[in-house]
Amino acid sequence: MYTISNILFNGYAIWHKREQQQPAITTKTKTETMHTIQRTLLASAIATALSTVSVGVYAADEQTVEKVEKVTVTGSRISRVDMEGANPLAVITREDIEDSGFMTVADLLRNTTYNSLGSYTAQGNNSWGSQATINLRGLGAHNTLVLIDGRRVPWSGVMYGGSVDVNSIPAAAVERIEIMLDGASAIYGSDAVAGVVNVIMRKDYDGLQISVGAGRPEAKGNDEDSFSLLWGGSNDKGNLLISYEHDETENIVMADREFSKAVTNADVIQDVEGLSTSGRNIYHWGATQYKPLAGTCEAGNTKAGFYGPYGDSDPRKATASYCAYDYTAVADLQPSIKRDIVNVLGTYEIAENVEFNGGFSLSKRDSANTAAPVPATFWVRSNTVGGAAIFENNGFTFDPDADDPEWAGIKYRFDSLGNRVYEIEGYDLSGNAGLRGSLELDFVNDFEWDVNYTRARNDYTSNGTNMLRLNRVEELAEANADFLLPNGDVNSKYLSEIGHTWVDNTDVKFDSLDAGFGFSLGELPGGDIGYYFGVQRMNYEMDRSFDPLSASGDVIGVFGGQYGGDRTVKAVFGEIMLPILDNLEANFAVRQDRYSDFGKTTNPKFSIRYQPMDNLVLRGSYGTSFKAPNFQQLYTPENTGYYTVTDYKACKDQGISLGQCNIEEDSIKVTNVGNKELGPEESKMLTLGAVFEPMDDLTLRFDFYNIKTEDLITQISSDYLLQAEAIAGSSAAVIRDGQGFITQVYTSNVNIAEQEQSGIDLGVSYDLDLNDLGTVDLSTGASYLLKYEYADEPGLEAYDHVGLNGTPEYRINATIGYTTPEKMHRIAISAYHITDQYDWVNQRYENGKLVQNDKEGHIASHTTFNVNYRLNLPWDGTANVGVRNLFDRDPSFRYDGKSFNEQLYSIQGRVFYADYTQRF
């Protein structure tokens, strides 16, 4: 924890006004006179009003320029004059990041409107721990390519090798973030289906910067603390930047939030919240319903954490009663996280027109995720010593001499072992080295070349303590009459034999070598024709392994399974830029990738940019993309977890609609297995857009997109399979016992036929100069989803999911800011809105055709407000104080008032934060 209040309130002089400079829209030739004073397009705001695009605006300041400096922007390898090209590009500046109030890059990206369906952030009760993703367009994090300085960031092994962990990116060293909102497989290869997030690191910083910060939620848990150092130096030969960043966030226990803590005051199990029937319960197979295990949930003799007995409202279980367990008192809703990141970047001119560039990054991330003690059902036979004792103690009648023994099942919470704790220690080490330069050649102009090599290693070790050896439990329970004590506890002398620590090691190796060259050759009325050609070789290796006992399948509480693989990709690519007229530019790119395990794919892209007036740019593009399955989707062996599921078939049998079904079974085995027969996903994307300035300091932006994907890879959920079973009457994927109760559900990944998505991005920004009173700026951005159509399962008709739970029709961000005339004081208020959604859909299919599709229920819209106040101190220090979620808005809940979409909504509540930066 860092104490900063004395520093923050020692003196008050606030400064904040962005003087963001953008290149002019109009392309000029080398000898032209340019008029180039550029104004700010993005309004000053907290970074999460990220929905506007940086576009240059003009004024009339004459200066003669012999040569226009060219830059390379995300989405193209050809150097050009204009930042605002044919592809829609959003830019998050350094000032945006410092203004945002968010501690990490992940939180910053999570709140953009382009993250339209939300994305993963740290959650409890899973092995991903400290990971976080960005999910452009809602097409899946694995379809969003993440780059650092134009170089591919390797997959995270923890997330099964399918996505990038954006929590590994240091916020202190970031100069800006460019988000290309268009498919880019023709430029970068696989993964760039939905778009590209390119993090540009600081390079020309001179001096030393020290920052400390803290955030304190009003509710219990999730305290934030951060510290960073940044040092940079440069001369006429090159530059060097070194940064170190540390932050930590406390866990949130489920009981710390009203919406997730247990509700125990009820008569039947269906009316409680946060309790599991895997407490202390037993039933005689084929003879009785569940009842509390002898010695448990008795008057005056109920163990802490256990509640009951409760009845059951399900008519099939009219005689059942339960001793239930409160898992919310100990289980994390969000894990604790610590991050340490060291980043080194540098460039050096080793010869005339030849520059070396390189660096390395080391990221260490630790997380601790506490889950409730292992729940499991174990079985005993009446003709064994221990089984007979359990039968007798619980009043079950049986014939000890019968040829076929009786069976009893015990749904049990192994609290005597202690809570499960998943401790993850992860290291990401990456380094890159490259050369780039230029040559003066007689037959071409502007010849530039580059060679780059990147090597990355990702090593994660997870230790899961207090896992359970279920087979050993059954052996000991049947062999020993004293396995269970009179109060229902497991005899302590057996605990060492049934407990286990699961060790999970994941290693990812990534190597990439690429080279290319660009030049100008030939001329059109609009200027020189630009070219770029290159080659690339990438190799991925991944291995996930368990300790031998966990690998054997004998251990309960293990997430996922062992798998591994390797893949080599060889690519050739090229681009051409055609300045047809002064105001008309066309671009064509094509890339061919050869996969060692999936053959080859060729992906072209065509784009065009037209500027009919000085204040209007029109643009459009069309291209294809390709996404190969990741190793987890292909190779994961059968692995099992235990979950609470909804028994839709039981509801249907009782005349309850699927949307209102509340019959649940907990601790059900859900088994997933990889699918080696998966094929790749292939996509086509169309964009059309316009940027218009109807008056000074007012900019309007419009972009339309349409994405069609064939052979989409998805995991069929257990919930969907159970609904499908209810509709069809039976399912091979759902296993039930002789009494009709669910015992196991099998899921897998499949290529679903097609998906089509279309939408509109809108942006407005306006700066109002109040002269001696200062300036007011306003920025608003929205992402509107027109269509999100796909089939839930192969063989079923596709339907539009827009407006359903987890697929909001639109998101809007807006910020209004005020800066004093002397640019010393600034306040910004930002709003983040997610529209309301339907809660469920009642469907009916006939021969695969959808004949009923009624959207029902209501999930309320969600709006939060952030306030940021910034001051610049006379001794070159900067302070920020603010509040996130000013009005303490809870997530928008489903019909039960408890469950919500964790990828869309934050659980932090109101957070007060402050940070201080001192520069030397």
Side-chain angles (χ1 to χ4, degrees), residues 346-658:
T347 63
Y348 187 75
E349 185 180 350
I350 60 176
E352 185 177 0
N353 296 325
V354 179
E355 181 186 80
F356 168 83
N357 60 88
F360 74 87
S361 176
L362 173 62
S363 172
K364 180 179 184 292
R365 298 190 297 290
D366 298 304
S367 67
N369 185 353
T370 299
V374 176
T377 299
F378 66 95
W379 295 86
V380 294
R381 292 165 294 182
S382 60
N383 64 348
T384 62
V385 174
I390 290 173
F391 267 71
E392 291 173 358
N393 292 338
N394 287 276
F396 294 159
T397 59
F398 66 99
D399 181 0
D401 300 320
D403 292 335
D404 294 323
E406 306 282 330
W407 288 84
I410 298 101
K411 294 184 75 170
Y412 195 85
R413 183 70 59 163
F414 287 84
D415 58 304
S416 299
L417 285 175
N419 298 327
R420 287 170 288 169
V421 180
Y422 302 93
E423 295 181 326
I424 302 174
E425 182 178 74
Y427 291 90
D428 292 333
L429 176 63
S430 63
N432 65 273
L435 294 173
R436 57 176 172 241
S438 60
L439 294 173
E440 294 290 337
L441 300 177
D442 293 336
F443 54 91
V444 296
N445 297 322
D446 302 324
F447 186 88
E448 298 175 339
W449 58 271
D450 62 272
V451 179
N452 298 283
Y453 175 68
T454 299
R455 167 169 282 197
R457 299 293 182 264
N458 178 310
D459 179 64
Y460 278 79
T461 300
S462 173
N463 291 312
T465 59
N466 300 324
M467 303 297 110
L468 180 70
R469 298 181 59 191
L470 183 59
N471 290 341
R472 187 59 177 150
V473 167
E474 293 182 334
E475 291 172 0
L476 292 170
E478 289 194 329
N480 299 278
D482 64 346
F483 180 78
L484 291 179
L485 299 176
N487 66 353
D489 284 350
V490 174
N491 194 320
S492 61
K493 70 181 183 181
Y494 300 116
L495 293 179
S496 63
E497 296 188 58
I498 65 173
H500 181 68
T501 296
W502 162 43
V503 180
D504 176 5
N505 291 300
T506 304
D507 295 304
V508 175
K509 298 178 181 179
F510 172 73
D511 292 273
S512 174
L513 177 64
D514 62 87
F517 59 92
F519 57 90
S520 299
L521 178 63
E523 190 173 350
L524 291 173
D528 293 338
I529 302 173
Y531 302 85
Y532 188 94
F533 300 98
V535 295
Q536 185 175 38
R537 184 185 190 278
M538 297 181 291
N539 180 256
Y540 299 89
E541 294 181 28
M542 184 172 180
D543 178 70
R544 187 185 188 197
S545 60
F546 296 167
D547 63 275
L549 191 60
S550 298
S552 71
D554 184 40
V555 179
I556 302 300
V558 171
F559 291 108
Q562 298 185 117
Y563 58 89
D566 64 87
R567 173 178 295 163
T568 298
V569 184
K570 299 176 182 179
V572 294
F573 49 87
E575 288 183 69
I576 182 170
M577 180 181 68
L578 300 169
I580 300 169
L581 301 171
D582 285 343
N583 62 352
L584 179 62
E585 174 187 297
N587 298 267
F588 180 75
V590 64
R591 176 175 173 125
Q592 184 178 89
D593 293 88
R594 291 180 178 269
Y595 286 75
S596 60
D597 53 351
F598 275 96
K600 68 179 182 179
T601 176
T602 302
N603 293 288
K605 181 176 181 179
F606 175 78
S607 61
I608 191 166
R609 177 187 184 275
Y610 177 51
Q611 189 172 351
M613 299 181 291
D614 285 346
N615 62 348
L616 176 64
V617 171
L618 304 176
R619 62 193 177 197
S621 69
Y622 177 81
T624 67
S625 295
F626 173 95
K627 181 69 174 69
N630 64 49
F631 297 145
Q632 183 267 344
Q633 293 169 333
L634 290 167
Y635 305 125
T636 300
E638 186 173 298
N639 65 92
T640 298
Y642 289 79
Y643 303 93
T644 297
V645 301
T646 302
D647 192 342
Y648 294 100
K649 185 175 184 299
C651 284
K652 183 180 179 182
D653 292 344
Q654 297 176 32
I656 303 172
S657 69
L658 300 189

Side-chain angles (χ1 to χ4, degrees), residues 839-892:
D839 198 352
W840 65 84
V841 58
N842 275 328
Q843 296 177 323
R844 184 165 60 88
Y845 291 89
E846 291 182 1
N847 298 320
K849 295 295 184 181
L850 191 61
V851 296
Q852 179 184 351
N853 190 41
D854 299 328
K855 297 177 180 179
E856 299 181 5
H858 183 253
I859 299 173
S861 62
H862 188 269
T863 305
T864 59
F865 294 87
N866 291 0
V867 178
N868 185 76
Y869 175 66
R870 187 172 181 176
L871 57 93
N872 188 43
L873 299 165
W875 49 86
D876 208 12
T878 301
N880 285 279
V881 293
V883 184
R884 300 197 300 266
N885 194 356
L886 179 63
F887 298 109
D888 199 23
R889 179 75 161 84
D890 278 338
S892 289

Side-chain angles (χ1 to χ4, degrees), residues 34 41 100 160 207 292 313 361 392 419 553 596 634 661 678-679 717 719 763 795 806-807 813 854 883 887 899 909:
M34 299 191 63
L41 171 64
S100 70
Y160 309 140
S313 62
S361 176
E392 291 173 358
N419 298 327
S596 60
L634 290 167
C661 182
L678 286 174
S717 70
D719 191 72
T807 315
N813 292 349
D854 299 328
V883 184
F887 298 109
S899 56

